[in-house]
Amino acid sequence: DVKVTQSSRYLVKRTGEKVFLECVQDMDHENMFWYRQDPGLGLRLIYFSYDVKMKEKGDIPEGYSVSREKKERFSLILESASTNQTSMYLCASRPTQGIWTQHFGDGTRLSIL
Amino acid sequence: SQQGEEDPQALSIQEGENATMNCSYKTSINNLQWYRQNSGRGLVHLILIRSNEREKHSGRLRVTLDTSKKSSSLLITASRAADTASYFCAHPRETSYDKVIFGPGTSLSVIP
């Protein structure tokens, strides 16, 4: 069965810290995504990766960067965490060919104090 | 913004009743997907309908698509308390089919 695993369900960090959110998929999917989800705003795309070391900015990339050194792993980095980055972060993956549907991890609820 | 809308934003029904959620979108699409999200969890894909399909069924789910009106609906029949969740429609972006746009979602509460 398809599995996308996010390293932490809950995370609390302080303003100014560098924060790493990790996501691993076991399906050999080329495409991976990072979203943030906020009440009333739905899911917003932060970054998208279509292959190892390849990335594209999404709708709200400011304050974030990503790393994809291996096909199965996609990391989201908050360079200097701020309180307005408190949110639910969701990772997803899908193959390039065939089915369009995305497979999601369970999310990381990040609080920046 | 390419994001469409879903209505209602919230829906509360009794167990056994049917639940209907609607989704509107703004661009041309080749497919539309519905996802479900239980509280505090990730999204789970429910059903995909292609632009050349008008209706699709999966168990107690029925999805319709009207491309002339740029709208879709998700019907859950004989609802159960376990159907309590948020439901999102999503479609590929017109400018980049690799990425999708998610609607704001409908929060469904099914009361036992």
Side-chain angles (χ1 to χ4, degrees):
Chain A
D1 202 12
V2 163
K3 194 156 182 67
V4 178
T5 303
Q6 294 184 231
S7 53
S8 306
R9 291 292 307 277
Y10 302 93
L11 204 54
V12 180
K13 295 291 183 181
R14 297 207 172 274
T15 303
E17 281 192 66
K18 191 167 186 176
V19 181
F20 293 85
L21 303 183
E22 306 287 345
C23 175
V24 177
Q25 50 99 359
D26 65 358
M27 299 157 285
D28 204 36
H29 287 167
E30 293 82 8
N31 298 325
M32 296 188 74
F33 308 82
W34 274 106
Y35 298 91
R36 66 176 280 177
Q37 184 178 25
D38 300 288
L41 296 177
L43 275 76
R44 292 180 292 169
L45 181 64
I46 304 171
Y47 265 98
F48 160 60
S49 170
Y50 50 95
D51 204 346
V52 175
K53 296 189 188 295
M54 308 303 284
K55 62 187 179 185
E56 273 186 27
K57 292 180 180 178
D59 300 315
I60 50 165
E62 295 78 19
Y64 303 94
S65 63
V66 290
S67 172
R68 185 131 181 239
E69 297 297 318
K70 293 184 177 180
K71 192 174 186 180
E72 67 270 19
R73 186 179 297 269
F74 192 33
S75 302
L76 180 69
I77 303 156
L78 284 66
E79 297 291 343
S80 177
S82 65
T83 54
N84 62 12
Q85 292 178 309
T86 291
S87 186
M88 174 72 141
Y89 289 87
L90 292 163
C91 174
S93 74
R94 65 167 278 264
T96 298
Q97 302 297 330
I99 305 298
W100 288 94
T101 60
Q102 296 188 15
H103 301 270
F104 282 82
D106 274 340
T108 295
R109 188 163 293 281
L110 176 64
S111 296
I112 306 297
L113 305 179
Chain B
S1 167
Q2 295 184 53
Q3 189 182 49
E5 297 180 353
E6 286 173 69
D7 78 273
Q9 289 186 346
L11 181 60
S12 184
I13 59 173
Q14 295 291 130
E15 204 165 29
E17 293 180 339
N18 295 342
T20 299
M21 289 158 268
N22 302 298
C23 167
S24 64
Y25 57 91
K26 297 180 180 179
T27 63
S28 297
I29 63 171
N30 64 0
N31 72 78
L32 187 136
Q33 305 152 43
W34 284 90
Y35 289 80
R36 164 196 169 124
Q37 183 182 33
N38 287 351
S39 180
R41 306 300 293 269
L43 279 71
V44 174
H45 175 254
L46 295 175
I47 195 166
L48 179 150
I49 186 166
R50 300 186 191 281
S51 58
N52 60 356
E53 298 174 310
R54 290 296 168 259
E55 188 171 309
K56 199 163 182 179
H57 296 254
S58 177
R60 293 184 296 113
L61 305 180
R62 186 184 80 143
V63 168
T64 62
L65 179 64
D66 186 336
T67 53
S68 66
K69 294 181 179 177
K70 289 188 165 53
S71 68
S72 175
S73 68
L74 170 67
L75 168 67
I76 303 174
T77 59
S79 63
R80 306 166 182 168
D83 294 328
T84 294
S86 292
Y87 292 83
F88 297 86
C89 66
H91 62 82
R93 297 182 184 220
E94 195 169 34
T95 53
S96 173
Y97 275 7
D98 288 326
K99 294 173 264 190
V100 300
I101 297 172
F102 287 87
T106 293
S107 177
L108 173 65
S109 295
V110 181
I111 303 165

